[in-house]
Amino acid sequence: MKRLYGQDYVPRLLHKKTILISVVIFSIFLIVTQPLYRFLMPVTQLNEITSKPAFQVYRALTGGSHPTRTLLVFANNAEQRIGGGFVGSVGILNGAHNRLQIESVRSIYYYDHRLEEKGAFLSAPEYLQNLTAKIYARDSLLTTSNSENSQKFRDLYARETGEYIDNVVIITPKVLSLLIKYIGPIDLPGYNLTITSDNILTTLQQEVESGQDKADGRDPKAILKVLAEQLVIRVPNLTSIQLTQLSDDIIGLMQTQQMYVYLQDHSVMEKLSMYQEPIAQAGDPNTINIAVANHAANKSSQAIEQEVRVTMHISQDGMARLSAQISRMHTSDYAGYYIDPKTGQGNFLIGDDLSWVQLTLPRDTKMITGGPMKAQKEPGVFGADVSTKPLTTSKVIAEFVLPTRYAMLEQITIDETFLAQFGWLGQKVQFKVEVPDNYRFMYGSDGVQGNFNMASRSFFQIDDEKMHFVFSKQ
């Protein structure tokens, strides 16, 4: 049931200051739609919408007769982390009596600077040591488990504030792009700007970094409040058909791992599992997971096109070897130059990319050759720092022996799952299987093509993908 969400929502120029915009917009969407559902729609349309999983999420966040509090976390995947992206801001939502209110939307540093004074209790992984020795909320999306990341973020927030929050919602910039696409262009005459789904990120980024508000010593994020006021006016004007489609598209973002909802309401979490939980866990048998963490302290992830070529060789005795080549092509020159009017210093949003590339294979996998890639403490996990300058390509090549042993009977069945990274901007994948010469390809899952003793599938991955290959002895 999972579907690929349109790639035309991938942002091209992001900056950590823009993350507040997404939080505000998504929060306003949640707040204004509930009364619209209840009072403006015919009963049949109301029933259709209230049966949607997105509405059930909303109902859980609003708490009914039991007040709830929710952390709204923005993962900026232009600066990727293993669990999604750099967290630049966080909102707090209060829910009660089927309504939501925004308590606050703040820069993550508002909390992290206080946490730094108390002392963080999590050590940064080795690859992130050039940025920080300890893990604070901004860098806390570290694992391949969204549930674990949500709880870890909640723990860090509790250490700073002394309060455990009920729910955590993590979103990427694709949520912002989606909502603006529905709402349409917004004129901001005070800034002489028109905000559209195509220019919202770059335009607001430019204004926040080097606009007149900042030059005059005012809060550079004042434009966000002006935009929010316009959104409050515009969102209720969406038709019931648009709201129904928007609800489906929000679930589409969950399916393609651009939004994750962690709720105290276990019944709703169970219903959401078919949309937002992976089809397998990293490290399980017959799984491959590739995740990236940018620690260049810039927004170069959005400019990287990654291609993965994996070949599984099955020997006559059933041993499985896996060769993997990961190519990272930097498609941009140095870009997004701006001068901070407050400091007078210039900088590029997109520059040299330095990223940790992590490959997780089944536990007990052994690496034969890996170049810069090295085995990590966790079984089946391998990683390498990969530096890619603008307009160049970097490669990592490694070979492994898998723990799986195949029974070389009259028929061989090979199943393999590629797990996607949360917030992933996508990658090209070619997966090939080669078996002994005395076997012939019979059939495979959708997209699999084969000839003689070989079969393969090529695809663009942004979601979990499962493949099936069947060979028969000749």
Side-chain angles (χ1 to χ4, degrees), residues 62-184:
T62 56
S65 59
H66 303 284
T68 65
R69 284 164 64 74
T70 300
L71 288 169
L72 190 57
V73 180
F74 191 90
N76 189 350
N77 53 5
E79 185 176 346
Q80 284 187 323
R81 295 291 188 267
I82 296 296
F86 174 86
V87 177
S89 67
V90 59
I92 300 177
L93 309 178
N94 291 326
H97 306 296
N98 297 317
R99 291 182 180 272
L100 279 176
Q101 290 184 333
I102 301 176
E103 177 180 304
S104 64
V105 180
R106 299 184 186 276
S107 165
I108 195 65
Y109 291 99
Y110 174 86
Y111 301 104
D112 273 356
H113 287 332
R114 298 182 182 190
L115 191 60
E116 288 165 0
E117 295 175 359
K118 295 185 177 183
F121 60 95
L122 296 172
S123 297
E126 184 177 353
Y127 71 83
L128 207 59
Q129 291 285 333
N130 68 309
L131 282 182
T132 178
K134 300 291 184 181
I135 289 300
Y136 301 96
R138 58 186 179 268
D139 296 311
S140 60
L141 305 185
L142 287 172
T143 79
T144 57
S145 168
N146 296 328
S147 175
E148 182 178 336
N149 289 331
S150 299
Q151 294 176 70
K152 185 181 298 180
F153 189 93
R154 186 178 62 168
D155 290 346
L156 286 164
Y157 177 86
R159 182 170 176 82
E160 193 281 323
T161 64
E163 177 191 11
Y164 266 97
I165 298 291
D166 302 300
N167 311 309
V168 180
V169 177
I170 305 175
I171 61 175
T172 74
K174 286 193 174 184
V175 175
L176 172 62
S177 298
L178 172 66
L179 294 176
I180 296 300
K181 189 178 183 68
Y182 272 90
I183 293 167

Side-chain angles (χ1 to χ4, degrees), residues 420-463:
Q421 178 178 4
F422 182 81
W424 190 233
L425 298 175
Q427 64 180 356
K428 295 179 182 179
V429 175
Q430 182 192 73
F431 182 76
K432 182 188 294 186
V433 176
E434 295 181 358
V435 298
D437 292 340
N438 59 328
Y439 284 87
R440 291 293 180 267
F441 173 71
M442 296 290 291
Y443 58 89
S445 54
D446 289 346
V448 171
Q449 297 181 337
N451 193 17
F452 301 107
N453 65 324
M454 295 183 292
S456 66
R457 184 182 170 208
S458 298
F459 57 96
F460 185 84
Q461 182 192 15
I462 197 169
D463 196 5

Side-chain angles (χ1 to χ4, degrees), residues 249-269:
D249 285 342
I250 289 292
I251 294 301
L253 292 177
M254 288 185 183
Q255 292 172 320
T256 53
Q257 300 196 53
Q258 302 298 321
M259 177 176 172
Y260 183 80
V261 178
Y262 178 83
L263 302 172
Q264 288 295 306
D265 189 325
H266 298 294
S267 63
V268 178
M269 283 295 288

Side-chain angles (χ1 to χ4, degrees), residues 13-22 24-25 176 180 186-188 191 193-214 220-228 231 349:
L13 284 176
L14 298 175
H15 188 269
K16 63 185 179 183
K17 297 292 181 65
T18 65
I19 57 184
L20 284 171
I21 306 163
S22 295
V24 171
I25 293 174
L176 172 62
I180 296 300
I186 297 176
D187 292 326
L188 301 179
Y191 293 88
L193 295 172
T194 297
I195 306 300
T196 70
S197 60
D198 294 327
N199 73 11
I200 183 169
L201 294 174
T202 54
T203 300
L204 292 178
Q205 169 185 290
Q206 182 76 25
E207 187 65 32
V208 168
E209 285 295 344
S210 55
Q212 196 60 46
D213 282 342
K214 191 169 188 178
K221 296 166 188 165
I223 189 173
L224 305 182
K225 182 176 182 295
V226 177
L227 179 63
L231 289 170
L349 294 176

